Amino acid sequence: KLQMAVVNVPNALSLARLACAPVAAACVARGRPARALAVVAACGLTDVADGHIARRCGQTTVLGSFLDPLADKVLMSSLIVALHRKGLLPRNLMRLTVTRDIGLVIGAVAVRALSVPPPFSVRKLLQVDKVKTIQITPHYIGKANMVAQFSLVCGTLLAWALGEPRHSAVKLLQWVAGCTTSLSGVEYALHSGFCRVGQADNQHTNGFK
């Protein structure tokens, strides 16, 4: 059944992480960096846990391969926007991050939807019936970018909480995050390995990070 195929612990953890995005952003907006940092740290633990549980317990789903990176992107983009509004991150970095993430999400969904053989159905989109379709695969630069963004957000929040929001280390993290964001966007746009044909019993791929 469709419900059995998509409702499991890893997907629930991803949904919880997705729900934490507005909470973390609200903490930033209210000037509470320590609380925001605690929320981000908890989300980081769920990110590690959902992938581990999915692989170890055989609870891998195509929905999970999209939901996991989607939650990460919504969380990071929300915090980067919130930190920018507080004057702690530059506008260009915020625009670059949000534009790339929106483009990747739209592109990933569109490519998968177009690859589903007619007649189109949600079951086929999620590969519940093991219908061959396009599987989005992550690149190393995309994974590196996720680490860079996470480090930037945590580093900025920590520096803010310690009363040194303009610390030189934060500036370095901004450059690293900006460079990896640009490179990952170009790679996903040009690389021929952006997607591949897969089946529903494939390993959890962490989507399109």
Side-chain angles (χ1 to χ4, degrees):
K1 293 182 180 180
L2 178 60
Q3 184 179 12
M4 293 178 63
V6 300
V7 179
N8 54 36
V9 173
N11 290 350
L13 289 174
S14 294
L15 285 172
R17 194 161 66 256
L18 190 62
C20 284
V23 176
C27 290
V28 172
R30 294 175 181 176
R32 298 172 179 173
R35 291 188 182 183
L37 185 59
V39 174
V40 174
C43 289
L45 292 176
T46 66
D47 193 16
V48 174
D50 65 15
H52 177 74
I53 294 172
R55 291 186 294 269
R56 191 173 183 85
C57 301
Q59 296 183 348
T60 60
T61 64
V62 174
L63 177 62
S65 73
F66 279 79
L67 193 58
D68 176 43
L70 177 63
D72 292 338
K73 292 186 181 306
V74 171
L75 177 65
M76 290 296 102
S77 292
S78 299
L79 284 166
I80 288 174
V81 170
L83 288 168
H84 161 68
R85 291 178 65 86
K86 280 291 184 179
L88 299 176
L89 290 180
R91 178 180 300 176
N92 289 340
L93 178 60
M94 182 273 292
R95 287 179 174 176
L96 176 64
T97 301
V98 173
T99 300
R100 190 211 67 153
D101 286 352
I102 291 175
L104 284 181
V105 171
I106 293 175
V109 174
V111 167
R112 276 192 62 83
L114 291 173
S115 71
V116 173
F120 176 85
S121 70
V122 175
R123 288 178 65 88
K124 287 183 179 180
L125 185 67
L126 299 179
Q127 292 184 335
V128 176
D129 298 317
K130 297 187 178 181
V131 176
K132 285 189 175 182
T133 183
I134 296 298
Q135 182 76 41
I136 306 301
T137 58
H139 292 146
Y140 290 112
I141 186 64
K143 294 179 179 180
N145 176 242
M146 193 65 235
V147 173
Q149 288 185 352
F150 185 83
S151 299
L152 171 62
V153 167
C154 289
T156 303
L157 289 172
L158 179 61
W160 184 14
L162 295 176
E164 296 186 28
R166 310 293 180 182
H167 195 280
S168 58
V170 175
K171 296 292 185 181
L172 177 60
L173 290 173
Q174 290 176 10
W175 277 102
V176 173
C179 289
T180 56
T181 298
S182 300
L183 289 173
S184 63
V186 171
E187 184 177 27
Y188 277 119
L190 301 178
H191 200 284
S192 59
F194 177 79
C195 50
R196 63 179 172 83
V197 175
Q199 291 183 312
D201 56 356
N202 282 343
Q203 286 286 328
H204 187 76
T205 62
N206 286 330
F208 43 92
K209 286 185 179 178

